[in-house]
Amino acid sequence: MEVADIIDELSLTPQQVRQATASVLHVVHRAWRQRDPSQRERSFEEFAGRIPKCHWPLMFEACALGHLGRRREARVLVKAAQIVETVGGAPASSVEGRALAAAA
């Protein structure tokens, strides 16, 4: 699902879109600050660039749901994504896992 679809599905206002976007950036910054010592030399941009494109809309939706007071749905969404990713291949890397976990 693309971010535009999420905005339409949740009927987000421009202010809610800004809040969700700011929350996603906050989540990624927090994950970056908590990264493994072996990744300390990576810049924020490099760190964010390693997050798969499919995780950005997921984090946006989880953050938007949280701002709408639907935190349980946000947690279920993130947990389901983590399970699907683990079952679908390798478990999420520490970069991806931290960002997804922080979104919930």
Side-chain angles (χ1 to χ4, degrees):
M1 186 178 287
E2 297 295 321
V3 171
D5 298 326
I6 295 165
I7 292 168
D8 288 341
E9 185 178 308
L10 297 177
S11 301
L12 298 177
T13 65
Q15 180 181 356
Q16 290 168 324
V17 170
R18 285 191 299 276
Q19 287 174 328
T21 301
S23 292
V24 168
L25 291 175
H26 176 75
V27 162
V28 176
H29 270 280
R30 185 169 55 185
W32 178 68
R33 286 190 308 270
Q34 296 174 353
R35 66 198 181 280
D36 294 333
S38 64
Q39 298 177 1
R40 299 283 168 152
E41 49 195 56
R42 285 200 179 112
S43 69
F44 173 75
E45 291 76 16
E46 290 173 307
F47 179 85
R50 289 188 43 147
I51 298 172
K53 288 184 180 189
C54 63
H55 287 205
W56 291 96
L58 174 66
M59 287 190 289
F60 178 85
E61 185 172 5
C63 290
L65 286 168
H67 282 289
L68 293 173
R70 297 163 59 180
R71 288 174 181 78
R72 183 179 187 288
E73 289 176 70
R75 286 191 301 272
V76 169
L77 174 68
V78 170
K79 185 64 176 172
Q82 289 170 328
I83 291 168
V84 167
E85 184 166 310
T86 300
V87 171
S93 75
S94 60
V95 170
E96 299 156 6
R98 277 195 175 87
L100 275 178

